Amino acid sequence: MQRRSHAQWHALFQAQQASGQSMAVFCQAHGVCPKYFSLRRRQLLGDAVPSKVTAISPFVPVAVPRSVEAMALEVRFGDSLQLRVPTSVAPQWLAELLHAPRN
């Protein structure tokens, strides 16, 4: 096995990336064990290793539309009267309405 300096390994990593070849094909053409090539790349580059394989999340983003019921406030006065107001109503307005003089 040939002993390579850090600079030589970095040159090999760059050459493999620029070649567009898979790691296995590149390593075979340059007489390097693919497992050792991968190990040295992780050791020398750490997390900076570019990956051609993008992990696909098994989760799909979901947007749940708000229902009309969730956007309204319901106030009941006994069994005979109920008031439904949208949640966008100012709390002060609702307080004034509820405290208004009753006839």
Side-chain angles (χ1 to χ4, degrees):
M1 180 191 299
Q2 180 182 347
R3 187 155 173 82
R4 292 181 173 90
S5 67
H6 289 311
Q8 290 171 324
W9 277 111
H10 284 283
L12 271 177
F13 303 147
Q14 290 173 347
Q16 186 269 324
Q17 188 175 10
S19 73
Q21 296 175 323
S22 70
M23 184 179 61
V25 171
F26 181 85
C27 288
Q28 185 177 15
H30 289 84
V32 179
C33 173
K35 287 184 179 182
Y36 190 66
F37 182 88
S38 180
L39 172 70
R40 290 301 286 160
R41 186 168 60 181
R42 279 193 312 274
Q43 288 173 340
L44 297 175
L45 299 180
D47 292 335
V49 177
S51 174
K52 289 190 176 190
V53 179
T54 303
I56 298 174
S57 173
F59 299 101
V60 177
V62 175
V64 179
R66 293 178 148 215
S67 66
V68 175
E69 291 81 19
M71 295 175 58
L73 175 67
E74 186 174 306
V75 181
R76 292 183 185 211
F77 299 95
D79 293 332
S80 60
L81 182 64
Q82 74 180 36
L83 173 66
R84 288 177 57 89
V85 292
T87 55
S88 60
V89 168
Q92 294 82 8
W93 180 85
L94 185 57
E96 287 175 19
L97 177 68
L98 295 175
H99 293 291
R102 296 181 186 99
N103 292 338

